Each structure stands twice: as structure tokens, then as C-alpha cells.
Amino acid sequence: MTRPTLTQATGPAHTRILGIGGVRGENLVTNDDIAGPIDSSDEWIRQRTGIVTRARAGEGTDVLDLAEGAARKALEHAGLTGADIDAVILSTVTYFHQTPAGAAIIADRIGATPAAAFDISAACAGYCYGIGQADALVRAGTARHVLVIGAEKMSDFIDPTDRSISFLLGDGAGAVVVGPSDTPGIGPTVWGSDGGQAQAIRQTHSWKETQTGAGWPTLRQEGQSVFKWAVWQMAPVAQKALDAAGITADQVEAFIPHQANMRIVDQMIKQLKLPESVVVARDIVDTGNTSAASIPLATERLLREGQVSSGALALQIGFGAGLVYAAQVVVLP
């Protein structure tokens, strides 16, 4: 028997980010506001993290509200509507429902039905994971326009007395539309994981354990271990992303790392030997660490404030719980 040959989908050779949008929590929480329960001070927090305030959403706002707001802004910036979107990817670790996926609900809210929709759980690397998937979907011909959202309401998982991570965290969402391009706009994704260090950043216990009186789960991290891992192992990943894109450090116009800690960012700059001409995203100072939302929010801010312009080459890298990581060089929308 002669079997027929399948027809495979094919798409454009290149992709790029067409539009971006961001939404931050409406309340700015100062260091003085949170220093008491962790027996700390404004000075200590600034020295250790670089954070002055963190944006947090009110009780009436959930993570999908933040995601929807960012998505609508990204669509507007791209000059598209929900009906133009073929797939929605939502990266989050703070959506309370195991199923259905939050992405499907967002797709419905913005008028993207029947777009494909799914969530990914890659913590602070989630946005870069989503960019890698969107790039592949468009170039494979599976989708023409993909909406990628990084959204977190980290304040729902905060223990006010925790000195390991909770005082870092903020709320927000950033979104982009990825679509076809005449020239390369998204470099190869360099990504990976190290599950052997899963305890370095973790939820205190499972949701199931709340039934046995364990209480509400919150986040914890082993600060020194995470700091050393991020500084010494993530800079080589960022360098691999530069090499894969055929770009050198002096050709990059912006460096947009996950906004985890200002000291980590500064050490990565030294490791990569980035020239002073490179604009470095420092959104963490005012917004805090927003996990999957931090890179698109930092990008949106650089563009909105005119620190970089459309068409600039940016190196972005996310890293966090898992431990997972991902990096790309992208052309800014």
C-alpha cells in the first residue's frame, strides 16, 4: 500500500514583535510600608535590591484583569483587534485555577475566539518562553499573529513577615503581539532548566495541603543560592543568545533582564562586558519584581519614556523558579 504524503504547514521566514502594552498594580507600596514586619528598613531594602516602591493591585483586581488590560494595549499598539489573533499564550504562576486555562478566558474577553489558547508555567522566564513559542508558531505557519502575555498578581502569595522574597514582589502584566516580518526580528531562543535546584525558589506547600490545616501557600527563596546562580550562570546564557543571533555586545542598544534584583542586573552587565552606551532596564526600582510580567513591563517603559526607540536591538533574559531560563535578542516594536 502506498500511503499519501502529508502536507505540512509553512509560514513566513521571519517574525517580530508588532506591538506592546503594560499594566501595573495601581498602588505603590514603599519600603517603609513593609519594613516593620520583616524587621528591616528602607536603607537595607534599597542596598540589597535597589527597590524603592513596588506596584501592587487592589483586592478587586485579579491576574486576568491585569492580563486583559495589557493585551488590549498591545493590540492597540499593533493596530490589530482580537479577531486578528490566532493564538493566545498566557505566562503566569499566580492564576488560581488549574483549569480552564486563563488564556482561553482572555481570548474570549478580547474577541479572539476561536484562537488557540494555553497557559505556560515558567515563572520569571515565562515571557521569554512565550516569545520563543510565538516565534516558532508563526514561522511554522500554525498562526499568523500570536498574543503573548506575562501577568502576575504576586501580592496574592506574599507572607508579610518573609525576608527571603515577599518584600521584592509587585503586580502587573505586559503583553506583545508577535507576527510575520520581512526581516528577522526575533533571534533564536536559548533556554533550559535545572530541576535539581527546584527548592531554591518555591511555593511553601501544595494547595492540597491547605485542606489539612497548612494555611495559604506563599513563596520562599534561598537568596544567596539564587543570587550566585543568576550572576554566574545566566550571563553565559545571555552571551549564547547574542552569539545565536549573530550579534555582539557593542551592537545591542538595550539590555532587558528579568527585574529580580538590581545587584543581579549590575553583576550581569559586568559579566557580559556591556558598553556604557547600552540602555539597561531598571523598572524594578519603582515596580518591584513582577515575575513573568517584568520583562515586557520594563520594555514598555523604555519605549514609552523614549529611552530606546522602535527598531532597537534588545537582549532579554528571564530566569527563575524551576530553575528555568530563556533569552533572545529582539527588535523592539
Side-chain angles (χ1 to χ4, degrees):
M1 181 180 71
T2 301
R3 293 187 174 91
T5 300
L6 294 176
T7 298
Q8 289 189 307
T10 57
H14 310 301
T15 64
R16 68 170 293 162
I17 298 171
L18 304 176
I20 189 167
V23 173
R24 292 165 174 78
E26 63 269 32
N27 303 314
L28 288 181
V29 179
T30 69
N31 291 336
D32 289 333
D33 292 333
I34 63 172
I38 61 172
D39 189 24
S40 186
S41 67
D42 172 68
E43 181 182 10
W44 184 87
I45 294 172
R46 290 192 192 213
Q47 289 179 347
R48 299 285 293 182
T49 70
I51 297 174
V52 178
T53 61
R54 66 281 298 138
R56 291 182 178 171
E59 291 186 6
T61 301
D62 66 22
V63 68
L64 293 190
D65 295 329
L66 296 169
E68 179 186 355
R72 291 188 182 279
K73 289 186 176 183
L75 286 171
E76 181 180 2
H77 187 211
L80 300 172
T81 68
D84 297 310
I85 299 300
D86 303 300
V88 177
I89 301 173
L90 172 63
S91 178
T92 183
V93 293
T94 53
Y95 180 50
F96 290 125
H97 295 270
Q98 200 78 30
T99 192
I105 297 171
I106 296 301
D108 178 67
R109 288 187 184 182
I110 64 172
T113 303
F118 58 96
D119 296 352
I120 56 177
S121 177
C124 309
Y127 170 74
C128 291
Y129 267 53
I131 292 296
Q133 293 181 44
D135 167 55
L137 288 172
V138 175
R139 288 190 294 110
T142 307
R144 182 169 176 81
H145 294 115
V146 180
L147 177 66
V148 179
I149 311 167
E152 306 286 11
K153 191 180 180 188
M154 304 303 292
S155 60
D156 283 338
F157 291 85
I158 285 175
D159 173 359
T161 66
D162 168 51
R163 285 174 63 93
S164 74
I165 193 170
S166 290
F167 67 98
L168 302 172
L169 304 175
D171 305 333
V176 296
V177 178
V178 173
S181 173
D182 292 333
T183 56
I186 298 175
T189 296
V190 177
W191 58 356
S193 68
D194 182 1
Q197 299 192 67
Q199 289 300 304
I201 308 173
R202 64 193 183 277
Q203 188 172 299
T204 50
H205 50 268
S206 72
W207 290 106
K208 185 176 182 179
E209 290 173 274
T210 62
Q211 300 174 351
T212 59
W216 190 263
T218 57
L219 298 176
R220 293 289 190 278
Q221 77 168 347
E222 297 172 4
Q224 286 302 313
S225 296
V226 173
F227 181 86
K228 291 178 181 178
W229 173 77
V231 168
W232 296 107
Q233 297 192 41
M234 291 303 97
V237 170
Q239 183 61 55
K240 288 180 181 178
L242 288 172
D243 296 342
I247 299 298
T248 57
D250 61 339
Q251 294 174 311
V252 171
E253 296 170 66
F255 178 47
I256 311 175
H258 165 50
Q259 304 291 286
N261 181 308
M262 193 66 73
R263 291 195 303 150
I264 292 175
V265 173
D266 289 338
Q267 287 298 320
M268 290 184 71
I269 293 169
K270 293 179 182 178
Q271 293 291 321
L272 289 166
K273 296 181 172 58
L274 294 178
E276 293 185 3
S277 59
V278 175
V279 176
V280 179
R282 299 185 183 275
D283 189 51
I284 189 173
V285 173
D286 303 311
T287 305
N289 178 342
T290 55
S291 188
S294 79
I295 292 175
L297 281 177
T299 304
E300 182 272 340
R301 181 174 188 167
L302 291 180
L303 289 165
R304 173 167 45 84
E305 293 183 349
Q307 297 185 54
V308 292
S309 59
S310 173
L313 286 176
L315 169 62
Q316 58 186 31
I317 179 169
F319 45 87
L323 295 169
V324 297
Y325 55 87
Q328 305 103 352
V329 176
V330 301
V331 175
L332 297 182

